Structure formats: structure tokens, C-alpha cells
Amino acid sequence: MKLEANGTSHSDDEIDLLEVFATLWGGKYLIACFAAIFLSLASVFLWNAERKYTVSYTLTSVSSEGSSPSLAGLGGLASLAGVSLPSSDGGDVAEYKALLRSEEVASALMKNDRLISLIFTSEWNPAGSFFEAPPHSDIGRVVQSVKYLLTGEAAPEYTPPNAPRLAKWLVEVIQVSEDRDTGFLTLSAETADPELAKYVMQEITDATDAIIKDRFIESAAGTVEFYQSKLSSARAREHREALAQLIAQEEQKLMLASKGDYFVMEPLTYPTVSLEPTSPKSPLVLALAIVLGLFAGAAISLIKKAFKNAR
């Protein structure tokens, strides 16, 4: 530590900002060179990157929310009879949302051979009309070898496309969001094959609606019969009115299910595709490359200066 003329102390290790700026200015060509290199790498990446588009599909509830009858005191009776009281629109939408990317829906889609061959196109052998393990790249073999050396885990055996694999693919590709104000469901996907995404979205929504519709039709007869039996023995006016409304509501839903149209959710818009690619984001990639290049060049300049001072 040195003592200055004015009596203040100054540490030899204290960073001199002016010296740092001078070092950076002296290495401006090196910094510019690194920025150009990183920018070139980003340009190569953008030239070879797969362009992805965003596909959106919006659905709305088929039945509108209305005044529900009072179900006080009927829940216990329904449970004893082995039937369930009708759910609200919100409950139907929640069930629909939960089923959209489930294995049950995936099992229904597995019957569509054309769709499955498009989704797992890298595994499809069109000549033999069967699925087979895709060939591993050199990088893939190296990664698997390193993983085996580190963990002892061998490569898993190939499993042809099935419902669990398809459900996993749906969860990874299709995003589902609900607007709490409007109740609209929006399915979205960022993909290089927007036509396939549109096809998949339409298929899973149709399959989900059909599953819920079939479940309702199977249980509707028993539910209406239970309500009618209770209506004949109900003494309180409030219970009779509630049961009558329940019967009317179930019969209305049964008519809707029998029509063959949408039962829970119906399309509000056709599937739409963004006009321009949404991935990769070229301005962001280029800006990040420049920042990283400047940072790398500045770090090298400062390290070189530090080594020079240490001699």
C-alpha cells in the first residue's frame, strides 16, 4: 500500500478504470474480430436452422352457462344409487382439457395409421409399411457411449410407436391454455410442419369430444331413471322442481349427444398458422452473438494485459 502526498492511501491492487478502458481500446481490433466471428457463427446457424411456425386453434364451450338447479340434499342419494349429478360446464371443460393429451386419446389416435406414420416419420419404413429404429448419427453414438461410461446405462431397446409414446409427444408439442374470462381453450404448437400440427389438433379435439360424449351416453339412462324415481317419491316442492330441472337438463344433453355434433367444445376459429416463422428469432440470435463476441474479445484483451503486467 502506498501513501499519497495528500495523506490518503492507495492500494496497488485497486482496479484503475481508466487503465481498463485503455486496455479495451487498445484491443479494439481483437474485440471487433471476436464480434465478427460470433456474428458469422450466428449467421451460419440461422442459414441452417429449421424454421418453425406457430399454429393456434381456439375452441369454445358448446353449452352456455345458465342457472343450475339447487342440488342440496341430492348428492348423497345420487352417490348411494351409483350415479353422479350433472357437472357444470366448467367441470366438462376441465375434463376435456385433462383428456386432450392423455393416453386414452392417444389410443384413439393410434387407429389412424396415416397420422401415426406422419408423426413418427423418421421411424416409418414406407417400403415395408412398418416402424423400425431410426439410424443413429455419429454424434448420437458418441453421446450414448459417454453416457454408458458415466452411468452404466445401456441404450434402451427400440419401442415402436404406441399410446404412451404418442401421449408424450402430444404433451411436448401441443400446449393448451384457457382464458379465464371467456372460457376459450387455445391449442398452440411451434413446429416446422404446421399442416401436421393442424391435422393433429383437429384429430385430438374430435377424439376427446367423442370420448366424453360416449361416457355421458352410457351413464345418461341410469341417471335419468334415478331422477325419475326420486321425483315420484319427493314430497318437498323444492326437491320436485330441482329434480324436474335435472331431468330436463340431462335429456337436453342427451339430445345434444345424439345429434352427432360437438358435445363439450366446438371450434371457435379454424386452425391458423403464423405468416412468418416464429423460431428461430433472428434479431435476438444476432444481437446475442454480437454481445457474446464483444464480451469474449474484451475478456481476452484483459487477460493478455494481466499476463503482460505479471512478467
Side-chain angles (χ1 to χ4, degrees):
M1 180 176 292
K2 298 179 181 179
L3 190 64
E4 302 293 340
N6 57 5
T8 60
S9 62
H10 174 74
S11 174
D12 292 333
D13 297 330
E14 187 176 348
I15 298 177
D16 189 344
L17 293 179
L18 291 178
E19 184 178 354
V20 171
F21 288 140
T23 302
L24 295 178
W25 179 252
K28 57 183 179 293
Y29 296 112
L30 178 64
I31 295 174
C33 182
F34 268 90
I37 292 173
F38 275 71
L39 189 61
S40 300
L41 293 175
S43 178
V44 172
F45 166 77
L46 291 174
W47 271 95
N48 293 277
E50 191 176 50
R51 266 44 181 181
K52 294 184 178 181
Y53 296 80
T54 297
V55 181
S56 298
Y57 189 28
T58 303
L59 309 170
T60 185
S61 177
V62 172
S63 58
S64 60
E65 292 187 9
S67 57
S68 300
S70 174
L71 308 181
L74 299 179
L77 292 174
S79 299
L80 292 175
V83 298
S84 58
L85 295 176
S87 59
S88 63
D89 290 341
D92 291 338
V93 173
E95 182 182 4
Y96 187 96
K97 186 177 178 182
L99 278 173
L100 265 174
R101 300 173 295 174
S102 66
E103 286 191 21
E104 188 171 358
V105 170
S107 297
L109 263 61
M110 288 299 298
K111 302 174 184 178
N112 189 335
D113 295 334
R114 176 175 176 270
L115 177 62
I116 302 306
S117 64
L118 290 173
I119 292 176
F120 300 98
T121 184
S122 63
E123 305 173 29
W124 177 247
N125 186 329
S129 298
F130 60 86
F131 290 98
E132 59 183 356
H136 292 289
S137 63
D138 293 337
I139 297 178
R141 294 190 186 94
V142 171
V143 171
Q144 185 58 46
S145 299
V146 173
K147 180 180 179 181
Y148 178 75
L149 290 174
L150 295 176
T151 65
E153 296 180 5
E157 294 184 3
Y158 172 71
T159 302
N162 53 21
R165 283 192 61 191
L166 179 56
K168 180 181 178 182
W169 183 88
L170 291 174
V171 171
E172 292 173 350
V173 175
I174 307 295
Q175 288 75 48
V176 182
S177 59
E178 181 179 359
D179 190 315
R180 296 187 178 276
D181 296 329
T182 61
F184 296 159
L185 278 185
T186 299
L187 281 65
S188 61
E190 193 173 59
T191 174
D193 192 348
E195 291 304 317
L196 175 59
K198 290 165 61 176
Y199 186 19
V200 170
M201 288 179 181
Q202 291 173 327
E203 289 295 312
I204 64 174
T205 51
D206 289 346
T208 303
D209 201 74
I211 290 173
I212 298 178
K213 181 191 297 184
D214 292 341
R215 287 180 179 177
F216 173 76
I217 292 176
E218 289 179 2
S219 63
T223 303
V224 172
E225 183 179 351
F226 167 76
Y227 293 154
Q228 289 175 343
S229 65
K230 290 302 172 185
L231 179 62
S232 61
S233 60
R235 297 182 179 277
R237 178 181 176 184
E238 293 79 5
H239 279 188
R240 293 179 63 84
E241 291 178 351
L243 286 166
Q245 291 182 44
L246 286 173
I247 293 172
Q249 182 178 345
E250 288 293 290
E251 290 179 343
Q252 182 181 9
K253 290 183 69 176
L254 188 58
M255 289 178 58
L256 180 63
S258 302
K259 284 173 57 181
D261 296 332
Y262 297 101
F263 182 59
V264 179
M265 304 293 292
E266 62 183 349
L268 180 66
T269 63
Y270 292 110
T272 58
V273 183
S274 59
L275 296 177
E276 297 180 356
T278 54
S279 178
K281 295 178 173 56
S282 300
L284 181 61
V285 171
L286 295 174
L288 182 61
I290 293 175
V291 171
L292 290 176
L294 293 175
F295 179 81
I300 296 297
S301 298
L302 293 174
I303 292 173
K304 286 176 62 178
K305 180 66 174 179
F307 276 111
K308 185 178 181 180
N309 292 340
R311 292 179 182 177

